[in-house]
Amino acid sequence: MILGDIDLWVLAIYAAGLLVFGASFARRNRTPEAFIKASGRLPGWAVGLSLFGTFLSSNTFLGVPGNAYSGNWNSYTFSLTLPFAAWAASRWFVPVYRHGGHVSAYHHLEERFGRWARTYAVVCYLLTQLARVGSILFGVSLALSALTGWSLGTLILASGVLVTFYTLVGGIEAVIWTDVVQSIVLSAGALLILGVLVVETPGGLGTMVEQGLAFDKFSLGSFGLDLTTSTFWVVFAYGLFINLNNFGIDQSYVQRFHAAESDAEARRSVWLAAALYVPISLLFFFLGTALFVHVQTSVPLQAELEALAGPAAEVGDRVLPHFIATRLPTGIAGLIVAALFSAAVSSVDTSLNSSATVALEDLWKPYVESQPSADRSLSLLRAGTLIMGVAGTGTALAMTSVRGLLDAWWTLSGIFAGGVLGLFLLGRIARHAERAAAMTATALGVTVILWMTLSPLLEGDLAWLRSPLHANLIIVFGTSTIFLSGLLFAGRKAPRS
């Protein structure tokens, strides 16, 4: 389905304005410190909206309604874990990083267990960001393809080039302030879409609730203790571990802790992000259910969706873009699509900026040049941004056969997290754990992760070796294996004085 000329002009003008806004911060990014953490001068509310914007990416805008449309609210359980993770972050993680003296989230791992631990964490982080950049670029390009009629591959390439250019000149300050704008616009856009759905659905909100209950669309999943399917407890465990991972050891979050002007503002930013995402993600889940009910009451729309993706195909991720293009007023559709695109830009530039930072701080400085000049460091940061942008675009192109954007991202992020949270907790909690115990525990954790990831491919006589556990539990068991086995190997021996 193709947007009208007015909508395309709105999209072009909005995107151009965003790029100009981002580029306006270039003059303030002439030092590595400014590029990486905005010299620690930003208010907590802006940092909090930026953290909220990281959650509220195109993966949420497309993947959550698509997931709710095709299934139920099982995935909303993920959001319910955010207050627990925010409490842990404000109490422990923020003080650790704010007072540690290093912008890298992984520097302390070298001090604790040696350089191998730091390097392992960085490799896991970079793989996670590749998956994140790829899924976001793929998701937004999928939406734009449905809206413009342009090929998916062309849009991925174009989006990758634009995002990479924008990040090269903007720095972390541009990332944060554009996140503020996009968070507000996207949330307002979701409310507007829901309003249109309520008006155009016979019976309005009452019908949506009634039909949603009839089709079991509001279910949070089974509360049984089955670990082989996506029950409430499986998603809750995944959400708790991945959000502790986000707030605790994700460089893109840690950098924004440093960008806040004080410890108190950094803590407030964490709570603000959690307090906003819990209800706003609920809005997006209800949006998916509302779309499902609306489609059931509209024979023409059902036919359009079948023609779009084929009667037997999964159409969840395509329903919202199609509705925006065909049912929203002219001009408004273009504005929402522009906000969707710029949200993807804002999410991706965070990943590119933080990836370039760890490449400099955790790879270049330890292994190549310990004290590069300020100018050289800035050049290396820009080079790292460019390399990550190219690699992320390539990852997006490789995802063109993926079905279910949200599920794909959750699986990849759980795998690539690599149980690093377990290593971090081992270092912070088990003061007596030494290098040998940490190395052995990490080796066991990686073995568990590889087994849970690859064993479903086993067939024939080896089929009995397959993991029966749900893929969302990879991060749970990988992290737990590293932490618990590390405690076991360390024993109760006190640290040497």
Side-chain angles (χ1 to χ4, degrees):
M1 180 52 58
I2 300 175
L3 289 172
D5 290 341
I6 294 177
D7 290 319
L8 290 174
W9 274 109
V10 170
L11 172 60
I13 292 170
Y14 190 98
L18 182 68
L19 288 173
V20 171
F21 177 69
S24 69
F25 292 92
R27 55 187 170 80
R28 305 181 71 171
N29 287 286
R30 294 176 179 173
T31 67
E33 184 182 39
F35 190 90
I36 290 172
K37 58 179 183 178
S39 301
R41 57 173 176 257
L42 300 183
W45 65 266
V47 176
L49 282 174
S50 177
L51 292 171
F52 167 63
T54 297
F55 286 105
L56 191 64
S57 66
S58 57
N59 284 352
T60 296
F61 199 96
L62 296 172
V64 166
N67 197 273
Y69 178 92
S70 300
N72 53 30
W73 288 14
N74 176 235
S75 298
Y76 180 65
T77 307
F78 172 92
S79 302
L80 299 179
T81 66
L82 265 174
F84 299 96
W87 177 81
S90 63
R91 184 176 178 84
W92 291 304
F93 299 145
V94 169
V96 165
Y97 291 118
R98 291 279 302 184
H99 300 158
H102 301 283
V103 72
S104 167
Y106 312 113
H107 186 277
H108 69 282
L109 287 176
E110 179 174 352
E111 296 177 335
R112 190 68 181 81
F113 296 124
R115 185 168 293 179
W116 69 270
R118 182 180 185 180
T119 304
Y120 169 71
V122 169
V123 170
C124 291
Y125 177 75
L126 292 176
L127 288 173
T128 303
Q129 295 314 299
L130 272 178
R132 176 175 172 77
V133 171
S135 65
I136 291 174
L137 289 179
F138 167 70
V140 74
S141 299
L142 182 68
L144 291 176
S145 179
L147 294 164
T148 64
W150 300 337
S151 75
L152 180 59
T154 299
L155 285 167
I156 288 174
L157 286 171
S159 300
V161 170
L162 286 173
V163 172
T164 303
F165 171 77
Y166 166 86
T167 310
L168 281 171
V169 299
I172 193 67
E173 190 166 3
V175 168
I176 289 174
W177 285 115
T178 52
D179 281 351
V180 170
V181 174
Q182 300 328 310
S183 298
I184 296 170
V185 172
L186 274 180
S187 299
L191 285 169
L192 177 61
I193 295 170
L194 182 59
V196 173
L197 279 167
V198 170
V199 170
E200 293 195 355
T201 302
L205 192 61
T207 297
M208 291 176 178
V209 174
E210 180 183 340
Q211 292 299 307
L213 289 170
F215 284 92
D216 201 29
K217 303 300 282 187
F218 300 124
S219 171
L220 293 177
S222 167
F223 284 86
L225 298 179
D226 182 5
L227 300 183
T228 65
T229 60
S230 186
T231 64
F232 174 91
W233 299 113
V234 165
V235 178
F236 189 89
Y238 169 83
L240 185 60
F241 275 72
I242 205 72
N243 283 318
L244 286 172
N245 192 84
N246 288 338
F247 285 128
I249 60 170
D250 189 309
Q251 177 66 30
S252 63
Y253 289 73
V254 171
Q255 272 182 246
R256 280 175 284 189
F257 297 161
H258 286 290
E261 58 189 0
S262 68
D263 291 359
E265 291 296 292
R267 287 193 294 270
R268 289 192 191 101
S269 72
V270 171
W271 279 113
L272 178 62
L276 287 173
Y277 190 72
V278 172
I280 293 298
S281 63
L282 181 64
L283 169 64
F284 279 95
F285 274 97
F286 190 81
L287 191 58
T289 300
L291 281 165
F292 174 84
V293 174
H294 181 74
V295 169
Q296 304 310 306
T297 64
S298 174
V299 174
L301 186 53
Q302 291 178 35
E304 291 170 17
L305 292 173
E306 288 182 0
L308 176 68
E314 290 283 348
V315 297
D317 291 341
R318 298 177 183 268
V319 172
L320 182 56
H322 183 81
F323 182 85
I324 291 171
T326 60
R327 271 41 179 197
L328 291 187
T330 300
I332 299 298
L335 182 63
I336 291 178
V337 173
L340 172 62
F341 173 74
S342 55
V345 170
S346 296
S347 298
V348 169
D349 62 15
T350 301
S351 293
L352 300 187
N353 183 278
S354 59
S355 296
T357 299
V358 298
L360 173 66
E361 297 292 329
D362 299 300
L363 295 179
W364 186 271
K365 287 184 178 180
Y367 290 104
V368 180
E369 185 179 10
S370 60
Q371 293 182 325
S373 66
D375 289 342
R376 184 167 177 80
S377 294
L378 192 57
S379 297
L380 290 169
L381 286 167
R382 298 193 190 281
T385 301
L386 179 61
I387 292 170
M388 192 65 179
V390 172
T393 302
T395 302
L397 289 170
M399 295 181 70
T400 53
S401 61
V402 167
R403 284 185 178 181
L405 179 61
L406 187 66
D407 291 337
W409 160 238
W410 278 17
T411 299
L412 289 173
S413 62
I415 294 169
F416 292 148
V420 176
L421 176 63
L423 190 59
F424 173 87
L425 294 175
L426 182 66
R428 299 300 304 179
I429 296 174
R431 296 292 184 179
H432 55 287
E434 298 179 352
R435 178 181 301 191
M439 291 184 72
T440 306
T442 301
L444 280 176
V446 171
T447 300
V448 169
I449 291 169
L450 290 175
W451 168 62
M452 293 183 66
T453 302
L454 301 178
S455 67
L457 301 176
L458 298 175
E459 297 179 353
D461 294 339
L462 296 177
W464 65 276
L465 290 173
R466 291 177 183 170
S467 167
L469 303 170
H470 192 275
N472 284 350
L473 292 175
I474 292 175
I475 186 174
V476 177
F477 279 85
T479 298
S480 299
T481 298
I482 291 176
F483 178 66
L484 295 176
S485 63
L487 289 178
L488 177 64
F489 296 135
R492 298 182 179 277
K493 182 180 177 181
R496 296 174 183 176
S497 57

